[in-house]
Amino acid sequence: MNDHLHLRIATLSVHACPLAPLGSWETGGMNVYIREVSRHLSDLGVHVDVFTRQQGEHVDAVVPLAERARVIHVPAGPGRYLPKDRVVAHLPEFICNMRDFIQSDNAGYDVIHSHYWLSGRIAGYFKSVWRIPMVAMFHTLAELKNQVSPNDDERESTVRAGIERMTVAAADRVIASTTVDRGHLEDYYEADRERITILPCGVDLDLFHPGDTDAARGSLGLSEERMILFVGRIQQLKGIEVLLRAARALVDRAEMPPFQVMIVGGRPSGERNDPEIRELHRLQRLVGELGLNDRIRWAGAIDQRELPRYYQAADVTVVPSTYESFGLVALESMACGTPVVASKVGGLLATVQNGENGFLIPSRNPDDYACRIAELLGPTKLQQQFGTVARERATHFGWRRVATQLLDLYQDLRAARAHGQAPTTVWQK
Ligand code: UDP
């Protein structure tokens, strides 16, 4: 039996359950990351318990995720969805119930790994109690998001930024997904470079692969029209407005073949005053004003297992975000052999290679997006050529590789502790 079969990881993901349906206001890349990494770590022989806040009345307390990975639903506050800022008040209850579960389960852990700021707060507590190494990953950072957030619904609180600061100071290792991400941790949070590990996110290469384009198009009811795809949460940060305005510019181009824009994502929470509904209505009004009603299809959220045929059917996927810390959608599209036109921000620079497998747009100008989309949809072979290079590039980003690198990191931290190097002091730098 390998030594790492005895490695036990407590993964904290207070507000993002790896089992939650994707495409809502607050579910996306982070849920996927935790789910996939936990499964692959399990395959590598590591035991992973993912602790997340219980968000349904009738969910089982413990749900298996893989042979050695489990999701533990911890009661804290009402057993339903809560916006993340309202989860803060329930963190003490989360800690008590998580501690009770661990005691009754007789579990012990070698490393605690937190995802996002809410979990960072709790991981800091358990690190000080258990005296084990702590790894933190943020996925997005408040200070950065506030630089680019276009409206109040998407702005982040000072409480969040403060907790992020404390978590950066407390963690033995902070994971950045790219060098850009590392730069932000250093610039905005004074993170110590020696404690940052760069580890890109991944893609499920078995699920996302090139396929029969005609069959995929037929299944979506497309005939001759070309397809421009967007996949993601319905938030202003995702830049859907830029895509809609680019579509208007494309309609006005004489050489442009008929096309449809497919928008995948959006899962209303049912809460009163749902910000997603506000944003959706704003975008739908804009579609009317732009005279695009017959060009735009709102698919709503789609189960991830169904997404490959959307990417396979598409001629191009557009990722016009004002910011992306990594951007799994770009990678998934590339893995399906569909080129990407993306904004030149954050993690998209790590996957999309301008002029090789897609285009990176440095501006927010819809005309710049329209030009590049038209180039790809034009009569040349550029789309196929980029698609082939995109798939090849994506094959370097399988989840197995991510999990293997994480395993190395966990083992290093455990070994350092065994050699008497105490975890760094909690809440101090
Ligand atoms: N996704 C999905 N169904 C949807 C919309 C999105 O499964 O209807 C998934 C998508 O496949 C991707 C994730 O949600 O894995 C979004 O991740 P990304 O990093 O692109 O954006 P984030 O949500 O982290 O901002």
Side-chain angles (χ1 to χ4, degrees), residues 22-23 27-30 32 208 231-233 238 264-265 300-304 307 311 324 327-329 332:
L22 302 171
T27 57
M30 182 165 58
V32 174
F208 294 105
V231 178
R233 292 175 291 123
K238 292 285 178 183
V264 171
I302 299 289
D303 188 300
Q304 200 179 43
L307 275 185
Y311 291 121
E324 276 300 337
L328 291 184
V329 161
E332 291 164 4

Side-chain angles (χ1 to χ4, degrees), residues 166-396:
M166 292 164 87
T167 306
V168 166
D172 297 274
R173 210 62 74 89
V174 178
I175 294 180
S177 56
T178 63
T179 50
V180 179
D181 200 13
R182 180 179 68 189
H184 292 140
L185 283 160
E186 291 175 322
D187 295 346
Y188 293 98
Y189 292 87
E190 292 144 23
D192 173 2
R193 181 172 281 211
E194 282 174 12
R195 279 200 257 153
I196 303 178
T197 298
I198 296 179
L199 185 49
C201 301
V203 62
D204 182 341
L205 294 166
D206 295 328
L207 178 66
F208 294 105
H209 54 77
D212 181 338
T213 308
D214 289 339
R217 290 171 54 81
S219 77
L220 298 177
L222 292 162
S223 48
E224 292 307 305
E225 324 87 299
R226 315 299 293 274
M227 177 175 155
I228 301 169
L229 178 65
F230 169 89
V231 178
R233 292 175 291 123
I234 306 294
Q235 291 202 348
Q236 219 168 320
L237 270 174
K238 292 285 178 183
I240 301 169
E241 179 172 343
V242 173
L243 170 59
L244 297 178
R245 293 188 186 281
R248 178 65 252 175
L250 287 168
V251 172
D252 295 337
R253 283 174 170 248
E255 80 283 8
M256 194 56 199
F259 69 89
Q260 291 272 312
V261 178
M262 178 82 77
I263 299 189
V264 171
R267 194 184 286 277
S269 67
E271 291 275 300
R272 265 194 310 145
N273 207 13
D274 183 350
E276 180 183 297
I277 295 284
R278 266 201 300 283
E279 178 59 4
L280 186 64
H281 287 169
R282 187 183 77 83
L283 293 170
Q284 287 175 337
R285 269 196 309 277
L286 180 64
V287 167
E289 284 159 25
L290 294 171
L292 290 174
N293 280 325
D294 57 342
R295 300 285 187 154
I296 311 295
R297 278 175 61 179
W298 301 93
I302 299 289
D303 188 300
Q304 200 179 43
R305 282 162 300 193
E306 294 296 320
L307 275 185
R309 67 192 168 98
Y310 285 75
Y311 291 121
Q312 289 161 6
D315 294 282
V316 56
T317 302
V318 182
V319 186
S321 312
T322 44
Y323 189 70
E324 276 300 337
S325 57
F326 191 78
L328 291 184
V329 161
L331 199 49
E332 291 164 4
S333 175
M334 290 166 64
C336 291
T338 302
V340 176
V341 172
S343 46
K344 192 177 177 187
V345 295
L348 296 167
L349 277 76
T351 49
V352 182
Q353 295 162 302
N354 190 42
E356 289 179 39
N357 55 28
F359 288 115
L360 288 168
I361 313 291
S363 81
R364 306 295 302 149
N365 184 345
D367 289 334
D368 295 342
Y369 283 81
C371 275
R372 292 309 200 181
I373 296 168
E375 213 173 317
L376 278 171
L377 268 52
T380 65
K381 296 255 180 267
L382 201 59
Q383 192 224 352
Q384 287 101 310
Q385 187 190 313
F386 275 26
T388 307
V389 182
R391 168 69 195 177
E392 201 288 318
R393 172 102 182 123
T395 55
H396 298 279

Side-chain angles (χ1 to χ4, degrees), residues 86-230:
R86 285 171 54 197
V87 173
V88 179
H90 302 290
L91 293 184
E93 190 187 348
F94 190 101
I95 288 178
C96 292
N97 287 334
M98 177 171 158
R99 198 191 47 206
D100 288 352
F101 173 86
I102 291 165
Q103 269 166 8
S104 66
D105 194 61
N106 228 353
Y109 300 99
D110 298 292
V111 176
I112 186 158
H113 185 161
S114 72
H115 293 271
Y116 211 50
W117 59 286
L118 290 164
S119 305
R121 184 71 186 89
I122 290 184
Y125 167 81
F126 280 109
K127 168 183 164 157
S128 62
V129 173
W130 296 335
R131 296 268 147 206
I132 58 169
M134 168 183 166
V135 176
M137 187 166 176
F138 292 96
H139 300 268
T140 61
L141 293 163
E143 296 286 8
L144 191 72
K145 211 173 156 196
N146 285 345
Q147 305 270 320
V148 295
S149 277
N151 66 20
D152 286 349
D153 279 339
E154 295 171 32
R155 285 187 69 76
E156 297 298 335
S157 64
T158 48
V159 172
R160 169 173 171 177
I163 291 179
E164 286 176 344
R165 218 165 275 288
M166 292 164 87
T167 306
V168 166
D172 297 274
R173 210 62 74 89
V174 178
I175 294 180
S177 56
T178 63
T179 50
V180 179
D181 200 13
R182 180 179 68 189
H184 292 140
L185 283 160
E186 291 175 322
D187 295 346
Y188 293 98
Y189 292 87
E190 292 144 23
D192 173 2
R193 181 172 281 211
E194 282 174 12
R195 279 200 257 153
I196 303 178
T197 298
I198 296 179
L199 185 49
C201 301
V203 62
D204 182 341
L205 294 166
D206 295 328
L207 178 66
F208 294 105
H209 54 77
D212 181 338
T213 308
D214 289 339
R217 290 171 54 81
S219 77
L220 298 177
L222 292 162
S223 48
E224 292 307 305
E225 324 87 299
R226 315 299 293 274
M227 177 175 155
I228 301 169
L229 178 65
F230 169 89

